[in-house]
Amino acid sequence: MSRIVLWAALVGGISYVGGWFLDLPPGWSTAWKGTGVGLLALYAALNARSLDGWLLAVVLAFGALGDVLLETHGLVTGALAFLAGHLTAIWLYLKNRRPGLAARHWAIAALLLVTITGVAYLLPPDRAGAPGIALYAAGLAAMTAAAFLSRFPRTLVFAGALMFAVSDLLIFLRTGRPALDSFPMGLAVWGLYFGGQALIATGVVRTLRGASSQAPR
């Protein structure tokens, strides 16, 4: 069942791009947008066997909520839902820190934190909103850094977190610049975001499933 839900999530998230070319009522388009990550949250919940599994489900549920709230209540409200997801993800990742972390790993994490936050602050043309964007980006950056420090596979989970971060940076770049509000930019934003969430979901679930199967019975 969980595999069927995962495939349904991928279909929902990928096909959402096709909806951009259809004259759909706003409610239908918003619901379609929420299916991808919403079903990823269900996939995580179906596989949850521990607190870590449920934390992942909550992370993805906040992501789906953020997707919907961006359309219905605006950028700030949607960003708060995403920020709640980032904070939950930080808890999950730091709870599952990779053993044997060296000073260079912490240095890379610090570089990610500073770079993502700093770039986010510099991107908005409306400088009045830059501090608020940087505050949100600090949570995003901390989530990305924590993913790097976690025991989850970096080729899936850290890569997914980094894709999420780049997607948000593209949003900050696009905001206030009508010339950048194009189909390729929208495709990059959504593709990086949804692809990143899918990698995070599958990477964490596979790791937790493997740990569960090796636990003494």
Side-chain angles (χ1 to χ4, degrees):
M1 176 60 71
S2 71
R3 185 171 297 180
I4 293 172
V5 172
L6 175 60
W7 279 107
L10 296 176
V11 170
I14 294 169
S15 65
Y16 169 65
V17 175
W20 299 351
F21 300 96
L22 302 176
D23 188 18
L24 295 174
W28 289 22
S29 178
T30 300
W32 194 348
K33 183 181 184 182
T35 58
V37 180
L39 288 172
L40 287 177
L42 178 58
Y43 164 74
L46 289 171
N47 284 281
R49 301 292 184 272
S50 64
L51 175 60
D52 291 338
W54 287 110
L55 286 174
L56 174 65
V58 170
V59 169
L60 294 166
F62 273 126
L65 180 62
D67 289 336
V68 172
L69 290 177
L70 283 177
E71 303 298 324
T72 60
H73 291 74
L75 183 62
V76 173
T77 305
L80 289 175
F82 283 118
L83 182 58
H86 297 332
L87 295 176
T88 308
I90 292 167
W91 179 12
L92 170 63
Y93 297 149
L94 293 184
K95 185 173 178 292
N96 288 273
R97 281 198 307 277
R98 184 180 296 262
L101 289 170
R104 68 179 183 278
H105 298 122
W106 291 99
I108 292 171
L111 181 62
L112 287 166
L113 181 63
V114 172
T115 301
I116 294 171
T117 305
V119 171
Y121 176 77
L122 294 173
L123 285 177
D126 178 11
R127 302 313 300 160
I133 287 175
L135 181 62
Y136 164 81
L140 173 69
M143 180 275 293
T144 308
F148 176 77
L149 296 173
S150 77
R151 67 185 178 96
F152 302 116
R154 287 177 178 152
T155 53
L156 294 174
V157 177
F158 170 62
L162 192 60
M163 288 166 65
F164 194 146
V166 173
S167 173
D168 275 0
L169 291 177
L170 289 178
I171 291 175
F172 303 148
L173 175 65
R174 179 181 64 183
T175 301
R177 296 181 174 93
L180 296 180
D181 193 8
S182 61
F183 173 74
M185 176 64 82
L187 186 62
V189 167
W190 179 254
L192 287 167
Y193 163 73
F194 179 72
Q197 292 280 48
L199 289 178
I200 290 168
T202 54
V204 174
V205 164
R206 289 178 185 178
T207 302
L208 295 179
R209 186 187 292 161
S212 176
S213 66
Q214 295 171 13
R217 301 195 181 272

